[in-house]
Amino acid sequence: MARGGTRIGGRSGGTRTGGAQPGRSPRRRDRRGRGMRAPLYPAGAPAARTRAERFDAVVLEALEPIEDRWGAELEDLDVAVDDVPDVSTPAPDDDGVVGDGDIPLARLVPAGVDRRGAPTRARIVLYRRPLEARALDGEDLADLLHDVLVEQVAEYLGVEPDTIDDESDQA
């Protein structure tokens, strides 16, 4: 081998920089022939769930006591989760928005008609990333979600949040 890292014989113009050669496939993770690594946790284990899946599970747990008490009134209400709110286009009105400063944590979208003329159901949209950012731990996130859901359901039903919260605690 000559100085400067170029090869003397064999392939012409090759360097020892480790980059992919023209016509050769790039190196794979399996460079020593041991095979691909297996997942750290089995697919069904709680540790294998993504942050979004864990958040969805906490939402369902927070919503359960409310649905147990108010299930009949909430038949026409959907609950959805988005990662982040779209703050580029302001909402036409701030009714139905639970926020922390300028960042909404949840929004109540009333029933209406979509662009194609089809009827839509009312829904509560929870924003995962802002809610997770404001929670200190899993228990704090569950409490925050419960409070936000109580406010949104109260707005949907047209009652005070204390009515929803008191009734769900007694059930």
Side-chain angles (χ1 to χ4, degrees), residues 68-85:
D68 287 346
R69 172 68 175 113
W70 298 94
E73 290 85 354
L74 301 178
E75 287 285 325
D76 296 327
L77 179 69
D78 294 332
V79 175
V81 173
D82 277 348
D83 280 347
V84 293

Side-chain angles (χ1 to χ4, degrees), residues 47-130:
R49 292 190 291 179
T50 64
R51 290 179 90 179
E53 290 171 337
R54 289 191 300 263
F55 185 84
D56 291 346
V58 175
V59 168
L60 291 175
E61 288 176 21
L63 188 60
E64 187 176 358
I66 298 170
E67 279 188 333
D68 287 346
R69 172 68 175 113
W70 298 94
E73 290 85 354
L74 301 178
E75 287 285 325
D76 296 327
L77 179 69
D78 294 332
V79 175
V81 173
D82 277 348
D83 280 347
V84 293
D86 182 16
V87 293
S88 62
T89 58
D93 58 350
D94 285 338
D95 290 340
V97 176
V98 174
D100 183 17
D102 292 336
I103 306 297
L105 303 177
R107 180 178 310 273
L108 176 64
V109 180
V113 178
D114 66 3
R115 291 180 219 156
R116 291 177 264 149
T120 61
R121 293 167 45 112
R123 71 182 176 277
I124 296 172
V125 181
L126 301 167
Y127 299 113
R128 180 178 66 87
R129 303 278 305 266

Side-chain angles (χ1 to χ4, degrees), residues 4 79 114 125 146 149-150 157 161:
V79 175
D114 66 3
V125 181
H146 176 76
L149 284 169
V150 163
L157 295 176

